Amino acid sequence: MPQFPTDILIAGQWRRGSGEPVDTIDPATGRVLATVHSATAEEVAEAAEAGARAMAEPAWRNLLPHERARVLHRIAALTEEAADELSALQTADTGKTLAETRALALSAAGTFRYIAAALETAEDALTPPRGAYLTMSVHEPIGVVGAINPWNSPIASDAQKIAPALAAGNAVLLKPAAWTPLVSLALGRLTTRALDEFGLPTALLSVLPGSGRVVGDALVRHPLVARVGFTGGTSTGRSIAAVAAQKLVPASLELGGKSPTIVRADADVEQALAGVMFGVFSSSGQSCIAGSRLFVDRGIYDSFVGELVARVRKLRVGPGTDPATQVGPLVHHDHRDSVAAYVDLARSEGARVLCGGTAPEGELHRDGAYYLPTVLDGLPNSSRTCQEEIFGPVLVALPFDDEDDLVRQANDSVYGLACGIWTRDARAAWRLARRIDAGTVWINTYKQFSAATPFSGWKESGLGTEKGRDAIRAYQRQKSLYWGTSDAPLPWAH
Ligand code: NAD
């Protein structure tokens, strides 16, 4: 069993938060793992002020990019070394399988390494002058950054914000979700250890768990917070964007989705079956990019969906610590109840429940927040079940007649996060990939990620981009320098 942290990281100090206590539970058993006392608005202010002071310290301010990259490499190495411990911690806190949480810890390390490499190789542009001067565009840190994350993949989404924000020269206030603070606190410990080893101010990172209403809101509103990086639900994103707009500070928003997965009649059926199941049921469907709307060519609809349902029934649902488990519990019993309520809504809308539609029975599942992988059909794309994000192991299948019908239905959504296309026809894949409204399209694969490839949501799935080389620039401000080269005075010299 890993050690469960209970102290929080405020302005470089580990101490008990002064806010409300929140029990974090193991959703496989309902057992309380740790009670973490939340931060308060005053502690958010303390962290913001200390972060601003730390940013101004010469040790950090004057650190050259290749030196800052070494710090990021050290965080990556510490994260990699601790991968097993981080994985056990995250599985206990979120219910995800150990295979997935280990991959997430390694992906966080990979993000720090990639951003370090991007930092070392970033260049500023000398722009063509239009007068007697040299012109140059440089990039400065933006200030104290607020990073707010949801509970579904904490360490990976933490790294996607902390790495570029530190690379850019900022200080970071990280607010993990109230249900899952443990792995973010552990990453905080590794990051401050690396900062300390390099003699840098540890107040460059604070980790401030607590509710969105108290801690998240205080963080976004604090005058020193000059940029917000947010991942979470669309309605929360909208209210954060409203506050940021009032303050006139940038906010990037990675929000919800209801992504279409398309199976054409010419698809490799074996690949498509495995891909569709993995795309929606891995992480128990608690993934912004889950392929939760399945569009199948009407000509193969009955046979494909029939075989899919037969295989979904065989998925192994159990604790994330069992290597045989494919679908773990949901993050929390309250969330399981909200998923169950959505399936009840689907029934009331007239859905056929082809499999699942209930919590599993038996001793193993009795106390956990489990829900069976569920396949529904018989609903139009306009139904609430097809339009709203359920964020659980629920797939809704729909037939399509031709490409125009498919594109119309797939794009008829407020979301535009991701899409999967299963086909052997390269030209059809190209046409479809270009016509679908989505920030990411996978062709004959799904849920693959590279730190080097930009990630962004279209429509109500988000605003702004994470990952890729430009991730660092998104946490900087541009400054243009004009450097006079003429000995002649400007016209008003006399
Ligand atoms: P949420 O919006 O309820 O919460 C996300 C975070 O925001 C939490 O830390 C929460 O405490 C905080 N928060 C809530 N209200 C706030 C406020 N008023 N001010 C500041 N902070 C506030 O989302 P959730 O239920 O934790 O996560 C699930 C959602 O996240 C889903 O909609 C999912 O699609 C989305 N998500 C998106 C991506 C992406 O990259 N697009 C990735 C993962 C999850």
Side-chain angles (χ1 to χ4, degrees):
M1 261 295 144
Q3 274 236 307
F4 299 118
T6 52
D7 281 352
I8 66 174
L9 178 58
I10 309 165
Q13 292 166 19
W14 287 96
R15 58 181 209 240
R16 191 168 136 156
S18 313
E20 58 166 352
V22 177
D23 286 343
T24 151
I25 60 146
D26 177 348
T29 59
R31 190 171 66 90
V32 174
L33 298 169
T35 302
V36 176
H37 287 254
S38 307
T40 58
E42 291 70 32
E43 285 163 339
V44 170
E46 182 186 341
E49 285 155 21
R53 280 195 303 274
M55 268 187 75
E57 278 191 33
W60 181 244
R61 203 184 61 218
N62 297 336
L63 206 62
L64 294 170
H66 69 286
E67 295 166 337
R68 236 169 17 229
R70 287 184 60 208
V71 183
L72 299 183
H73 276 300
R74 180 68 183 137
I75 300 170
L78 289 171
T79 306
E80 230 159 43
E81 277 165 29
D84 285 340
E85 184 203 331
L86 294 168
S87 164
L89 202 58
Q90 196 171 351
T91 288
D93 208 10
T94 62
K96 284 171 179 284
T97 63
L98 283 174
E100 186 184 350
T101 51
R102 200 179 144 73
L104 288 170
L106 294 178
S107 131
T111 297
F112 278 101
R113 278 197 210 298
Y114 173 79
I115 293 292
L119 176 60
E120 280 224 53
T121 53
E123 290 177 1
D124 282 323
L126 205 60
T127 50
R130 287 171 169 254
Y133 45 76
L134 273 176
T135 52
M136 196 180 175
S137 178
V138 297
H139 294 84
E140 308 281 10
I142 205 161
V144 178
V145 167
I148 303 178
N149 277 329
W151 42 260
N152 62 323
S153 303
I155 194 168
S157 30
D158 294 349
Q160 277 167 32
K161 295 180 175 63
I162 297 174
L166 289 181
N170 301 297
V172 186
L173 310 184
L174 172 67
K175 195 204 91 61
W179 281 342
T180 58
L182 301 185
V183 85
S184 305
L185 290 167
L187 182 63
R189 192 171 289 284
L190 300 176
T191 302
T192 44
R193 181 172 149 195
L195 290 168
D196 201 36
E197 283 175 9
F198 282 87
L200 296 167
T202 49
L204 286 167
L205 176 68
S206 286
V207 183
L208 306 163
S211 71
R213 193 176 41 81
V214 176
V215 182
D217 188 63
L219 201 158
V220 177
R221 288 181 194 278
H222 196 281
L224 282 173
V225 171
R227 191 228 193 273
V228 180
F230 172 75
T231 300
T234 294
S235 63
T236 315
R238 200 173 264 126
S239 60
I240 287 175
V243 177
Q246 282 303 315
K247 286 174 65 181
L248 288 176
V249 301
S252 58
L253 309 169
E254 302 286 353
L255 309 176
K258 189 82 182 181
S259 298
T261 304
I262 295 161
V263 180
R264 281 176 44 101
D266 54 19
D268 176 326
V269 170
E270 277 303 313
Q271 273 202 1
L273 285 166
V276 168
M277 286 200 295
F278 180 74
V280 65
F281 296 125
S282 56
S283 320
S284 303
Q286 303 165 113
S287 170
C288 54
I289 45 161
S292 50
R293 282 185 303 153
L294 170 65
F295 291 98
V296 184
D297 186 300
R298 197 180 290 280
I300 61 162
Y301 184 85
D302 287 340
S303 63
F304 186 88
V305 174
E307 180 58 26
L308 179 76
V309 167
R311 295 191 190 197
V312 171
R313 285 184 204 280
K314 291 190 198 139
L315 287 174
R316 289 184 298 272
V317 180
T321 46
D322 179 347
T325 291
Q326 292 166 294
V327 181
L330 300 185
V331 69
H332 198 279
H333 295 74
D334 291 355
H335 184 55
R336 191 264 311 272
D337 295 347
S338 119
V339 170
Y342 258 114
V343 176
D344 289 343
L345 167 76
R347 285 191 178 96
S348 73
E349 288 190 304
R352 286 197 301 168
V353 180
L354 303 178
C355 63
T358 183
E361 287 174 359
E363 188 62 20
L364 177 68
H365 302 110
R366 202 193 55 214
D367 298 324
Y370 292 99
Y371 199 79
L372 283 175
T374 299
V375 181
L376 310 169
D377 85 345
L379 291 175
N381 186 60
S382 55
S383 61
R384 279 185 60 195
T385 307
C386 291
Q387 290 291 323
E388 296 180 20
E389 185 184 44
I390 299 174
F391 220 59
V394 181
L395 175 69
V396 55
L398 302 109
F400 67 87
D401 291 316
D402 56 34
E403 200 164 295
D404 285 339
D405 175 43
L406 166 65
V407 170
R408 187 184 50 74
Q409 292 196 67
N411 284 345
D412 180 15
S413 168
V414 295
Y415 296 114
L417 194 57
C419 170
I421 300 170
W422 299 91
T423 178
R424 286 195 177 95
D425 181 333
R427 288 196 177 93
W430 175 260
R431 274 197 315 273
L432 272 174
R434 300 302 301 267
R435 291 182 71 187
I436 298 293
D437 297 341
T440 297
V441 177
W442 286 287
I443 298 163
N444 293 327
T445 187
Y446 205 87
K447 249 185 153 180
Q448 302 303 303
F449 275 123
S450 154
T453 307
F455 181 74
S456 57
W458 285 23
K459 300 175 10 185
E460 293 187 19
S461 288
L463 205 59
T465 300
E466 278 193 346
K467 308 207 287 187
R469 287 191 76 81
D470 292 339
I472 301 172
R473 294 297 187 229
Y475 285 94
Q476 289 176 320
R477 288 176 290 194
Q478 210 167 9
K479 182 183 280 173
S480 296
L481 301 179
Y482 287 70
W483 190 323
T485 52
S486 170
D487 290 336
L490 290 173
W492 284 4
H494 50 82

